[in-house]
């Protein structure tokens, strides 16, 4: 496929991608859009060109401030819309050529949180990350807890504080426990990122029913990059026995473009062998991991960016189908827009660890940045940016970025 629009070969937003997002321009009404090369494409304007007249989609779908109503049309419709956009971008006689107002340079618009998120769940599905954290916090010889290889461990996160890329965060405050003495209150001294991906639910399920691994694909609309900010000192003191709470819920950042699973189909790869064998409801068939190259850059105040982590989504021990099957095996329902994050994605080598906790090994080592700077944890005015894309031959499908700056405590 080739577009009449000039697109850099290293662009995340090739004609093969066609992700969905929400934009506004100069404070005007939010609208549904897609990204192509360096531009966004207004889908209300494409609607007015009659590109999918036969699908009887209400025009108001394109002027909503979230994608939930569009996603609710179902994959058959949303996939057709995506294909029609691809066709018109490939068609040298496209009527879009005569409507240049529909294409807007991306730097001229503001991108918003693309979905209304009812519930956000965070898994813990990278065996390398779980092993590293287990070694540091518990037993170096017995890092994984007995349940870890039998079920995708997760917890219910806080949906209200999920923010879109570009929204900055203030250093959170809370209660921590020094090694000696009584607990204290103050700003976290161990602020960290977690490099993750997340998927967006595309179909509602009924309370009391379960989604099988065979059905799970049809419930996943698409994926985003995700940063699960973590205050390690708050987390360490509060997490026993019920798990993460205020050390996580102050903010989580997601990228603005939802890349559909259809666009990522070409990047499917086999997952790792699961040993011991999993229970029947967690068994699956086919290639269900994705070869998505991920990296994370840290930019200190008025400094240069250093890429401090390079990892890959293909390393995940538990895949998305298993996560969703497990999430609903008790009859828990899911809703359009729910967000399910992967957990920190670490590889097996030191440069592939997806958190500073692991990169600095619990604050024991300095992480080297450019210009002789180092970090153990994040400092005020640090900017953290996660990038991700899949690539095979000349086909590249990417996510853009999720980025935020750490501001001092309020
Ligand atoms: Ca996490």
């Amino acid at each position: 496929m080739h577009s009449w629009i000039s697109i850099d070969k290293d662009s995340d937003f090739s004609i093969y991608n066609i992700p969905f997002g929400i934009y506004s321009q100069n404070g005007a009404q939010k609208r549904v859009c897609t990204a192509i090369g360096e531009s966004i494409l207004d889908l209300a304007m494409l609607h007015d060109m009659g590109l999918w007249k036969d699908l009887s989609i209400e025009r108001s779908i394109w002027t909503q401030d979230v994608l939930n109503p569009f996603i609710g049309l179902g994959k058959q419709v949303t996939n057709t819309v995506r294909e029609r956009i691809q066709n018109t971008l490939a068609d040298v006689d496209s009527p879009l050529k005569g409507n240049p107002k529909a294409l807007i340079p991306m730097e001229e618009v503001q991108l918003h949180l693309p979905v209304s998120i009812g519930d956000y769940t965070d898994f813990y599905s990278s065996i390398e990350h779980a092993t590293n954290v287990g070694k540091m916090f518990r037993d170096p010889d017995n890092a994984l807890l007995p349940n870890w290889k039998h079920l995708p461990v997760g917890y219910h996160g806080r949906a209200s504080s999920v923010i879109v890329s570009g929204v900055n965060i203030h250093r959170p405050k809370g209660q921590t426990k020094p090694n000696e003495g009584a607990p204290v209150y103050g700003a976290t001294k161990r602020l960290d990122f977690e490099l993750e991906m997340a998927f967006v639910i595309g179909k509602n399920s009924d309370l009391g029913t379960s989604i099988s691994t065979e059905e799970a694909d049809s419930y996943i609309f698409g994926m985003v990059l995700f940063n699960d900010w973590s205050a390690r000192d708050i987390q360490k003191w509060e997490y026993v026995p019920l798990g993460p709470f205020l050390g996580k819920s102050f903010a989580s950042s997601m990228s603005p473009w939802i890349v559909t699973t259809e666009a990522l189909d070409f990047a499917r790869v086999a997952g790792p062998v699961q040993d011991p064998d999993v229970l029947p409801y967690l068994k699956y068939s086919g290639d269900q991991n994705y070869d998505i190259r991920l990296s994370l850059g840290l930019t200190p105040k008025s400094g240069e960016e250093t890429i401090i982590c390079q990892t890959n989504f293909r390393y995940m021990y538990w895949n998305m189908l298993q996560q969703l099957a497990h999430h609903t095996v008790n009859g828990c329902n899911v809703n359009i827009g729910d967000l399910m994050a992967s957990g920190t994605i670490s590889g097996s080598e030191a440069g592939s660890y997806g958190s500073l906790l692991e990169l600095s090994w619990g604050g024991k080592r300095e992480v080297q940045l450019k210009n002789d700077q180092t970090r153990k944890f994040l400092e005020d005015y640090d900017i953290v940016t996660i990038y991700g894309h899949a690539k095979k031959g000349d086909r590249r499908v990417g996510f853009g970025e999720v980025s935020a700056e750490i501001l001092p405590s309020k």
Side-chain angles (χ1 to χ4, degrees), residues 120 122-124 129 155 194 196 228 230 248 341 343-344:
Y120 149 52
D122 194 20
F123 286 95
Y124 190 55
H129 173 69
Y155 70 95
E194 291 195 333
E196 306 195 12
D228 175 29
S230 302
K248 299 275 192 178
T344 308

Side-chain angles (χ1 to χ4, degrees), residues 246-373:
L246 305 180
K248 299 275 192 178
S249 62
F250 58 93
S252 313
S253 299
M254 70 184 270
S255 52
W257 297 108
I258 306 180
V259 177
T260 64
T261 48
E262 287 72 21
L264 293 164
D265 214 34
F266 77 103
R268 284 174 180 270
V269 287
V273 174
Q274 296 183 320
D275 181 26
D277 212 7
V278 297
L279 285 170
Y281 81 93
L282 289 169
K283 285 193 195 300
Y284 66 93
S285 57
D287 291 343
Q288 302 299 350
N289 278 40
Y290 291 83
D291 182 0
I292 298 171
R293 304 171 202 192
L294 300 163
S295 60
L296 182 141
L298 198 158
T299 312
K301 191 179 184 183
S302 55
E304 249 184 291
E305 180 176 63
T306 308
I307 298 294
I308 56 173
C309 166
Q310 285 183 294
T311 182
N312 196 304
F313 190 55
R314 69 184 299 163
Y315 297 144
M316 301 309 289
Y317 188 86
W318 296 103
N319 64 49
M320 296 186 284
L321 309 188
Q322 293 179 307
Q323 290 170 341
L324 195 48
H326 184 65
H327 202 305
T328 58
V329 73
N330 65 345
C332 172
N333 55 328
V334 296
N335 290 308
I336 291 169
D338 284 359
L339 201 61
M340 313 256 167
S342 58
T344 308
I345 304 162
S346 292
S348 53
E349 290 133 43
S352 65
Y353 295 166
S355 65
L356 277 172
L357 178 73
E358 294 161 271
L359 290 165
S360 75
W361 206 255
K364 291 196 178 80
R365 300 175 196 154
E366 298 281 3
V367 176
Q368 191 63 47
L369 306 180
K370 286 177 183 164
N371 304 321
D372 289 330
Q373 296 215 47

Side-chain angles (χ1 to χ4, degrees), residues 68-182:
N68 300 52
F70 170 64
I71 296 171
L73 297 175
K75 277 213 180 228
Q76 213 177 343
V77 175
T78 57
N79 285 340
T80 306
V81 166
R82 187 171 155 266
E83 283 160 24
R84 299 274 173 93
I85 297 169
Q86 285 177 320
N87 292 343
T88 204
L89 288 168
D91 176 9
V92 288
D93 298 319
S94 167
L96 183 59
K97 279 184 158 175
N99 189 5
K101 266 170 51 188
L103 275 165
I104 308 168
M106 211 181 282
E107 74 237 22
E108 289 178 17
V109 304
Q110 194 181 356
L111 296 169
H112 301 278
L113 196 70
V115 277
S116 169
I117 304 162
D119 269 304
Y120 149 52
T121 301
D122 194 20
F123 286 95
Y124 190 55
S125 289
S126 151
I127 194 165
E128 289 83 5
H129 173 69
T131 304
N132 286 338
V133 173
K135 277 183 188 168
M136 270 184 271
F137 281 5
R138 286 180 297 270
D139 181 354
D141 300 319
N142 240 326
L144 288 182
L145 287 167
N147 61 0
W148 199 90
K149 285 188 167 183
H150 294 280
L151 54 89
V153 169
Y155 70 95
H156 290 291
R158 182 80 195 162
S160 68
S161 53
V162 177
I163 51 180
V164 74
S165 179
V167 177
N168 297 327
I169 62 170
H170 288 271
R171 179 175 294 273
K173 293 179 284 194
Q175 189 179 135
T176 59
K177 170 78 170 67
N179 288 336
E180 307 291 327

